Amino acid sequence: MTTVTLIQNADHGANDIHTMTALPMNVTLTGLQGQGATFTCTNAFAAIRGAKAVDITYNAPINPSHQSVQVSSVQP
């Protein structure tokens, strides 16, 4: 599993996230697990290793429904 570490905590954990997209490559993270600043996913490391930020869309009724967070690191 690939680990994505964020510079700051996400407002909610994986259970409340509809989609998390790695930017600038625009890859939707699959098999997402975790909370806070550390998430794991089933995406291949090579597909997201250059991620600089993530765009998060939360499940309804969470408001605000979007959050953008810079990425600290991506590890295999």
Side-chain angles (χ1 to χ4, degrees):
M1 298 202 52
T2 303
T3 301
V4 178
T5 304
L6 308 178
I7 288 187
Q8 69 183 50
N9 287 343
D11 290 342
H12 301 277
N15 290 340
D16 293 323
I17 295 175
H18 178 67
T19 57
M20 183 182 284
T21 305
L23 302 174
M25 61 279 303
N26 258 354
V27 173
T28 300
L29 302 183
T30 56
L32 193 64
Q33 295 180 10
Q35 63 184 13
T38 306
F39 290 85
T40 58
C41 64
T42 56
N43 297 74
F45 171 68
I48 61 170
R49 70 176 170 215
K52 302 294 182 203
V54 292
D55 183 55
I56 304 169
T57 302
Y58 294 106
N59 297 324
I62 294 173
N63 190 14
S65 61
H66 259 108
Q67 182 181 18
S68 292
V69 182
Q70 290 182 320
V71 170
S72 172
S73 67
V74 179
Q75 301 292 321

